Amino acid sequence: MLKKTNNVAVVYSDTQPSEKQLQGLAKFLSDKHNCDITVEWKQDKQLTGGFRLEYGAYVYDWTREGKLRQLKSRLEQLSNQSDIIPLLKQTVEDWSPVVKAEEQGSVLYVGDGIATVNGIEHATYGEIVIFESGVRGMVQDLNRHNTGCVVFGDCSEIRSGSKVFRTGKTAGIPVGEGFLGRVVDALGYPVDGKGEIEAEDYRPVEMPAPSIIDRQPVNKPMETGLLVIDSMFPIGRGQRELIIGDRQTGKTAIAIDTIINQKGKDVICIYVAIGQKASSVVRLEQTLEKHGAMDYTIIVNASAGESAPMQYIAPYSGCALAEYFMYQGKDVLIVYDDLSKHAVAYRTLSLLLGRSPGREAYPGDVFYLHSRLLERSAHLSDEKGGGSITALPIVETQAGDVSAYIPTNIISITDGQIFLESELFFQGQRPAVNVGLSVSRVGGAAQTKALKKASGTVRLDLAQCREMQVFTQFASDLDDVTKQQLQYGMGLMSLLKQPQYHPYTQTEQVVLLVSALSKCLQHLKPAEVNSYAKNLLEYTKQTIPTTLRRIDQTQILTDDDKAAIVQCAKQFRDQQATVSEE
Ligand code: ATP
Ligand code: MG
């Protein structure tokens, strides 16, 4: 190999080294770096015991401070052993100086959460670097002459010329049971003022998704407790179901209800808030706390006030936490609220890093941004512990336009979508799920047999009713059959209305669906349906408790059970009729 020439290294020490010593150092460096290097001496009065050799980005620390650092790390290792003094003595006696290269660079320019650094030539993509002020950053752009780093924190203390140190580690987050019930930022630091969190492990934020062999099909339900979803668009454990809709259509509400419904079901929930108002996150935490859901929930928060890099990394951090539990064989539900803001944060970051903008100014890899995140949700095979991550990504649309860039991307990645509509929301149909446009591609396999049998034709009936509504819009007088069908459809729609924080159990859903589909609620006006349904549930619980218990335990709805429910619903109808007559 050709040798480069004219390279100069500098040795810092208090006393001047002899010519021979300098030549020795030069030979050491020349051999190591395979080029001719000359060594110059510069006086540094602070280095009384030892010297420090700097060659480009390499620093060989042979000073007293270096020795102390080594001692300190040994001490830390020893601190949990009881008989520390003899060991310490031994360590001091055994001490020999080691030469360790540490690569350091310097900041060229900094701004908007991005620092351009030169000198850290061997840094890898995604590696964490530490700036002189203690702030951390991540390598995101490797160029020929410099390196672009995103900064996780305050840029104001980073100046042109400040030193930057490599860590050799990729970005990671501490994980552990201690995180349950806590609110943390995108790097895993607690932000709820409840003190330190004891970590059990450290996981990289970017991890490859489980391979095909490590997975098994989705076959267990992840119940949302919302009748409209569980009956028609069931979600399975390990599925990715998108919640999509305009602003203020109840997207977050569906995710929160699902989290609340996991109480006592041995599911760990993670809510990742990206680019939201801090006040909304506080309110959300209080709501979860009030319903006893914080015990099994972790909130990862990168609110609107935080820098784009923090918002960019937050969902990956949340996913790393989820994976920690999944690989222990647990079931995890993770909500990304929302990925449109995540894409915007990534766009900001990419434009600042000087990457070329593509469609809607997003960079070319914006599809990969979300696909690699959502692919990490899985139902692991039994050999891998059988754990799962179910993802509920949320996307905000503008004026119901699902064909915009980010919505179409995410629709194509996920296993179905729940489409929420402003019009329905304002009509009072809440949750405002558009039954025609929503789908769940794999969840059907995970629906319990009881619920599958009970939900029967509900989707078809609703579709027929909708069609009829369109046709009859202009007709003034309708025949009785059509009128009845319309009323039936309206009744079904009213039954699907559900207030927030009131999840139905599986058996309650079965009772309501069986009663409605056998037209036991036919005689009601749409406005009466909800209170009637509530009373009906109470009545069935008192009249046929053993049947309900059996359905709950076996998750099967036999024909006899179905007949019993229908009979009970009819009894209730007759009873109500006599009450109102009186
Ligand atoms: P944003 O776009 O601001 O994130 P969002 O789509 O997440 O909004 P939410 O914040 O979930 O919408 O809900 C908007 C409002 O609608 C809230 O005030 C919420 O209380 C109300 N809401 C949502 N679902 C229901 C429901 N099922 N019944 C009654 N009110 C509801
Ligand atoms: Mg929301």
Side-chain angles (χ1 to χ4, degrees):
M1 206 191 286
L2 276 175
K3 285 194 170 191
K4 291 186 259 169
T5 51
N6 291 337
N7 293 306
V8 182
V10 184
V11 59
Y12 296 91
S13 64
D14 186 27
T15 49
Q16 186 169 14
S18 67
E19 198 55 40
K20 201 173 162 201
Q21 279 171 325
L22 283 180
Q23 275 171 9
L25 288 173
K27 183 169 181 320
F28 163 74
L29 283 178
S30 305
D31 290 349
K32 192 139 186 107
H33 295 279
N34 195 32
C35 56
D36 287 334
I37 298 174
T38 50
V39 180
E40 285 176 1
W41 173 70
K42 279 195 185 153
Q43 193 172 31
D44 184 341
K45 292 209 162 137
Q46 286 176 347
L47 302 180
T48 46
F51 63 88
R52 185 178 164 88
L53 183 60
E54 287 190 11
Y55 170 60
Y58 296 89
V59 179
Y60 299 90
D61 196 354
W62 211 323
T63 59
R64 186 158 33 203
E65 285 70 29
K67 295 175 201 172
L68 285 174
R69 258 205 301 277
Q70 198 193 348
L71 265 179
K72 189 165 162 255
S73 72
R74 182 79 177 120
L75 250 178
E76 275 164 9
Q77 285 168 12
L78 292 174
S79 61
N80 36 19
Q81 297 192 19
S82 53
D83 207 3
I84 192 166
I85 301 298
L87 281 166
L88 204 58
K89 207 170 152 198
Q90 189 66 37
T91 311
V92 175
E93 278 165 10
D94 288 352
W95 183 79
S96 64
V98 282
V99 177
K100 200 170 120 229
E102 59 180 48
E103 213 176 308
Q104 68 172 37
S106 59
V107 175
L108 290 176
Y109 39 88
V110 59
D112 304 314
I114 307 287
T116 307
V117 175
N118 77 350
I120 46 171
E121 288 135 32
H122 299 95
T124 54
Y125 183 82
E127 182 174 332
I128 290 290
V129 291
I130 300 182
F131 293 92
E132 212 173 341
S133 64
V135 175
R136 291 201 276 175
M138 181 166 72
V139 176
Q140 275 290 298
D141 210 25
L142 296 165
N143 289 324
R144 199 181 163 91
H145 302 296
N146 55 39
T147 310
C149 303
V150 296
V151 182
F152 297 127
D154 192 6
C155 279
S156 61
E157 284 177 36
I158 302 173
R159 296 201 165 72
S160 174
S162 334
K163 284 185 180 164
V164 187
F165 305 93
R166 280 185 62 189
T167 62
K169 283 192 199 164
T170 52
I173 174 172
V175 291
E177 297 276 337
F179 280 81
L180 291 174
R182 302 298 299 270
V183 186
V184 296
D185 73 2
L187 295 173
Y189 293 114
V191 289
D192 52 4
K194 292 185 190 161
E196 290 268 304
I197 303 176
E198 202 174 314
E200 282 156 33
D201 205 351
Y202 187 83
R203 283 188 76 89
V205 293
E206 297 269 9
M207 276 281 277
S211 70
I212 296 174
I213 298 163
D214 294 340
R215 294 175 185 244
Q216 61 173 313
V218 173
N219 51 22
K220 275 191 277 176
M222 168 66 69
E223 287 147 355
T224 61
L226 296 166
L227 185 62
V228 58
I229 297 177
D230 287 350
S231 63
M232 289 182 278
F233 319 106
I235 302 171
R237 295 190 180 186
Q239 188 178 340
R240 302 153 300 171
E241 182 81 3
L242 171 66
I243 302 174
I244 184 166
D246 281 4
R247 54 173 293 278
Q248 289 288 306
T249 47
K251 302 183 296 297
T252 309
I254 289 187
I256 297 309
D257 277 342
T258 311
I259 292 180
I260 291 173
N261 192 44
Q262 303 314 314
K263 197 169 181 181
K265 293 204 171 90
D266 209 14
V267 174
I268 286 165
C269 301
I270 297 172
Y271 178 87
V272 185
I274 309 155
Q276 295 194 35
K277 284 182 291 191
S279 63
S280 318
V281 181
V282 172
R283 204 168 331 117
L284 188 133
E285 197 227 339
Q286 285 168 350
T287 309
L288 290 178
E289 190 87 64
K290 198 171 117 201
H291 291 89
M294 259 333 261
D295 300 342
Y296 54 86
T297 305
I298 305 168
I299 298 179
V300 179
N301 178 35
S303 44
E306 286 184 53
S307 62
M310 290 295 258
Q311 294 185 30
Y312 158 63
I313 205 175
Y316 300 99
S317 305
C319 196
L321 270 165
E323 277 170 341
Y324 170 74
F325 294 109
M326 174 173 77
Y327 284 106
Q328 288 181 350
K330 294 183 181 157
D331 291 314
V332 187
L333 169 75
I334 184 162
V335 178
Y336 303 111
D337 195 0
D338 64 68
L339 290 188
S340 332
K341 295 201 184 78
H342 182 234
V344 169
Y346 187 58
R347 174 169 68 185
T348 311
L349 204 141
S350 301
L351 291 175
L352 288 170
L353 281 168
R355 292 186 190 152
S356 344
R359 181 175 159 190
E360 292 180 25
Y362 288 104
D365 62 341
V366 75
F367 184 86
Y368 179 55
L369 173 79
H370 292 141
S371 63
R372 72 170 191 269
L373 172 70
L374 293 169
E375 274 300 298
R376 286 162 72 179
S377 317
H379 183 198
L380 290 183
S381 63
D382 290 334
E383 293 80 54
K384 288 276 169 188
S388 69
I389 297 181
T390 311
L392 293 181
I394 295 180
V395 163
E396 187 183 299
T397 51
Q398 306 292 333
D401 181 14
V402 283
S403 59
Y405 193 22
I406 301 300
T408 39
N409 275 354
I410 301 178
I411 285 174
S412 68
I413 300 165
T414 48
D415 310 307
Q417 71 272 354
I418 292 172
F419 184 61
L420 303 177
E421 231 172 30
S422 312
E423 204 178 315
L424 288 173
F425 189 85
F426 295 130
Q427 280 168 11
Q429 177 70 36
R430 300 175 189 178
V433 178
N434 179 321
V435 178
L437 289 181
S438 305
V439 285
S440 171
R441 293 200 193 97
V442 292
Q447 205 174 17
T448 62
K449 286 204 177 71
L451 204 53
K452 200 175 224 165
K453 191 164 177 181
S455 35
T457 56
V458 62
R459 202 170 170 197
L460 207 66
D461 290 357
L462 279 173
Q464 273 174 354
C465 171
R466 232 189 0 260
E467 210 165 284
M468 203 176 284
Q469 255 175 343
V470 177
F471 273 118
T472 53
Q473 245 170 12
F474 308 105
S476 51
D477 37 58
L478 304 168
D479 60 290
D480 280 351
V481 182
T482 317
K483 263 191 202 158
Q484 275 200 347
Q485 267 208 316
L486 275 178
Q487 199 186 351
Y488 168 65
M490 304 277 272
L492 269 185
M493 286 301 279
S494 305
L495 186 71
L496 297 179
K497 285 184 194 166
Q498 199 172 331
Q500 272 183 290
Y501 323 127
H502 286 86
Y504 287 130
T505 64
Q506 188 210 180
T507 322
E508 285 172 340
Q509 294 185 357
V510 168
V511 170
L512 290 180
L513 288 169
V514 169
S515 315
L517 293 184
S518 55
K519 318 232 159 135
C520 295
L521 310 181
Q522 180 83 18
H523 60 290
L524 298 168
K525 292 197 183 78
E528 298 167 351
V529 174
N530 269 310
S531 61
Y532 184 88
K534 207 168 142 203
N535 295 335
L536 172 66
L537 284 178
E538 269 312 306
Y539 182 76
T540 42
K541 268 178 211 160
Q542 278 161 18
T543 332
I544 45 168
T546 40
T547 314
L548 298 190
R549 212 171 308 125
R550 192 173 51 244
I551 298 175
D552 194 33
Q553 280 161 4
T554 58
Q555 306 201 330
I556 291 173
L557 178 72
T558 62
D559 288 339
D560 290 344
D561 294 340
K562 204 169 166 180
I565 294 172
V566 174
Q567 199 199 351
C568 187
K570 281 187 177 148
Q571 264 172 22
F572 182 68
R573 184 179 61 190
D574 298 341
Q575 193 190 359
Q576 291 288 306
T578 47
V579 170
S580 58
E581 268 169 28
E582 279 166 15

